[in-house]
Structure formats: C-alpha cells, structure tokens
Amino acid sequence: MAEEQANNGGQPGFVPAALLGLCPKCGARTLFDGVAQFAPRCRVCGLDYSSFNVGDGPAAFLTLIIGAIITVLAIWLEFTWAPPLWVHVLLWVPLTAGLVTWGLRVSKAALLVAEYQRKAREATNDDLRGQ
C-alpha cells in the first residue's frame, strides 16, 4: 500500500480508500465521523467532503442484496436443522445489521473516492451549452 501511495503522490488507491475510510487526497483515516456518516472535512489536508454528492443510493441496493442473502440462508437453516426461533433472531439480526453497516461505509466511501478521482462535479449551464 505504501508503494501505491508513493506512485500516486500520497493518494490512496480506490480499494484501500474505500475499505479503510481513507481521505482520497492525502490518505489519512478521516473520511468518517460516525458509523456511516462522513466527516465535514479531512482534519489533515482540509478536503471538503460535503462538496461530494454521494447520497443514500447505496442503502437501497445493500438492503435488497443483503436481505435476499440473509433470507436464503435463514430458509436453508430452517429447512436443514429447524432450530428454535431464538436461534434465528440471535444469528440473523446482528449479522444483517453488521453487514448493512459495513456495506454502507464501504460503498459510500467508494462513491466519494470515485467522484474525487474522476473530478466529478455538478453540471452547470455552461456544460449544457458545450462551453
């Protein structure tokens, strides 16, 4: 990872930045202020995270994908061993919450890093006119 940052002028690669919550500009672990909430800006280099438009798009996809996987696993467990209801609750509730939370962190970080690396910004009227 250190060699990758040296080649990119201190900027972390896409995957490490998304997985570890690294600032896309300087590589410091300052991307998140809470569990899945971005900090207002990087405390090291001052990059303004609020200028990026990540939104809550990943939440819907994660909920559907993880919900489908957990449902299939729960049905499989029920038909294979028929455990009591409390086993299902003890197993699937924390697993679902953990996977969704971790997935939100990674996907939101990945979208922010992608926007930064591609210099994405909101379109203006000048862009629409071709200037």
Side-chain angles (χ1 to χ4, degrees):
M1 188 165 106
E3 291 176 17
E4 185 177 331
Q5 285 186 355
N7 294 339
N8 294 335
Q11 296 176 348
F14 181 79
V15 173
L19 289 176
L20 301 174
L22 305 177
C23 172
K25 185 175 180 183
C26 69
R29 277 195 181 188
T30 59
L31 194 57
F32 290 100
D33 217 7
V35 176
Q37 180 180 359
F38 289 125
R41 65 182 15 82
C42 178
R43 293 180 301 276
V44 176
C45 68
L47 179 64
D48 183 17
Y49 298 140
S50 64
S51 65
F52 295 95
N53 185 18
V54 174
D56 291 328
F61 290 110
L62 280 169
T63 303
L64 290 172
I65 292 168
I66 291 172
I69 292 169
I70 294 293
T71 301
V72 168
L73 290 173
I75 291 170
W76 171 80
L77 181 67
E78 179 62 32
F79 287 146
T80 304
W81 286 302
L85 180 62
W86 64 268
V87 172
H88 284 289
V89 172
L90 223 63
L91 185 63
W92 304 121
V93 170
L95 186 62
T96 303
L99 285 174
V100 168
T101 303
W102 179 79
L104 272 176
R105 282 182 64 94
V106 171
S107 61
K108 288 176 76 172
L111 288 173
L112 189 139
V113 170
E115 279 188 36
Y116 177 81
Q117 289 179 346
R118 288 162 182 77
K119 296 175 180 53
R121 61 182 175 80
E122 192 171 329
T124 64
N125 286 335
D126 292 338
D127 294 327
L128 298 174
R129 284 182 251 159
Q131 295 178 353

